[in-house]
Amino acid sequence: MLDTDSYRKLGKAISETHLGKRIDRYLAEHFLFHSRNQWQGYCAERLLQVNALPVKAAYRLKLGDVISYYSPGEQEPAVDRGIKKLWEEQGIIAVYKPSNLPMHEGGAYRLNTFAQELSKHFGGNWAAVHRLDRETSGIVICAEDKNLRNELSIYFRQREITKTYLAIAIGVGTRDSWEVDAPIGPCPNTRFRTKQAVVSDGLPAQTSFRVLAKTSRFT
């Protein structure tokens, strides 16, 4: 008997947009952490459910269907759980997040997340005010009180909080400092999911660069 608590909901209930589509094709198109063949395998092993009942790969989606699949924590990809508190004051903490740790449940991750580790170490009321990509290490501001989190979120949206990143670039920089004021968004034609670039339909962004050191190969 499989543990029902280990079943994880996949997305929202099915809307009119996806009515009649085969479930294996739908999952392969919208949940890319498994291939269509892998999703078909979940169906064959009765590890995929619609409205709490197992279905075959050829099942046609209906309005309001809720999809879930068997995803116990031990089957999730390994992550770096090495978070640590760097600073605390008046209900706010700054927490170091290592790379290879997603912020929240999503994709192949359900329990192996920053949110889970934060709750485990500091208590269930603590939550992040902003986010970093899974691959990015850095500082995450967290707060215990919901109203305080909302207030801090406003500061982030209004750009009243400055973020500084330390990066190593391949190649030797030709300038010691410069600024880029251009829209930023997902980089086209790249195999790196999180890579950003200047794109015409991106979000407004202003970044100041300052070179700290150079070698013959890196900046």
Side-chain angles (χ1 to χ4, degrees):
M1 180 70 69
L2 298 177
D3 179 11
T4 55
D5 290 337
S6 292
Y7 275 86
R8 177 181 161 208
K9 182 181 175 182
L10 284 171
K12 299 179 180 179
I14 296 301
S15 65
E16 294 181 355
T17 306
H18 305 295
L19 291 184
K21 181 172 288 188
R22 279 179 57 121
I23 192 169
D24 58 341
R25 183 178 296 277
Y26 167 78
L27 293 172
E29 291 174 354
H30 293 86
F31 300 95
L32 307 180
F33 55 92
H34 287 321
S35 67
R36 186 178 180 183
N37 285 340
Q38 289 173 316
W39 284 123
Q40 289 172 345
Y42 270 87
C43 292
E45 296 176 28
R46 299 174 65 84
L47 300 178
L48 189 82
Q49 296 184 343
V50 173
N51 306 327
L53 294 174
V55 295
K56 295 182 178 180
Y59 176 84
R60 300 284 178 172
L61 295 172
K62 299 179 177 64
L63 187 65
D65 277 350
V66 175
I67 304 172
S68 58
Y69 82 109
Y70 187 65
S71 178
E74 62 269 16
Q75 291 185 7
E76 294 181 31
V79 298
D80 186 341
R81 300 177 182 274
I83 72 169
K84 57 184 177 182
K85 182 170 67 176
L86 303 176
W87 170 89
E88 180 175 4
E89 185 173 316
Q90 298 180 348
I92 303 171
I93 56 176
V95 180
Y96 168 73
K97 184 193 89 68
S99 61
N100 191 30
L101 180 65
M103 290 294 298
H104 305 288
E105 176 181 350
Y109 302 90
R110 180 190 184 196
L111 301 175
N112 296 350
T113 65
F114 178 88
Q116 288 285 342
E117 291 300 308
L118 187 71
S119 176
K120 185 189 305 180
H121 285 79
F122 305 108
N125 291 331
W126 287 89
V129 176
H130 59 112
R131 65 182 298 277
L132 295 175
D133 290 326
R134 175 174 61 84
E135 300 88 345
T136 302
S137 62
I139 298 172
V140 179
I141 302 299
C142 307
E144 187 174 20
D145 178 74
K146 181 179 179 181
N147 292 330
L148 182 54
R149 287 197 297 273
N150 290 338
E151 186 176 350
L152 290 169
S153 294
I154 293 173
Y155 292 151
F156 274 99
R157 287 198 299 271
Q158 295 179 345
R159 299 184 182 179
E160 295 182 31
I161 294 177
T162 299
K163 292 178 281 186
T164 301
Y165 296 86
L166 186 64
I168 299 175
I170 298 174
V172 181
T174 58
R175 291 173 288 177
D176 292 328
S177 64
W178 68 97
E179 293 193 4
V180 176
D181 186 350
I184 192 171
C187 181
N189 305 318
T190 178
R191 62 188 180 90
F192 296 103
R193 176 183 60 85
T194 59
K195 188 174 182 178
Q196 301 283 294
V198 172
V199 292
S200 60
D201 59 346
L203 296 174
Q206 295 175 321
T207 306
S208 299
F209 295 89
R210 181 165 61 92
V211 174
L212 301 179
K214 299 178 185 178
T215 72
S216 60
R217 295 178 56 203
F218 303 103
T219 300

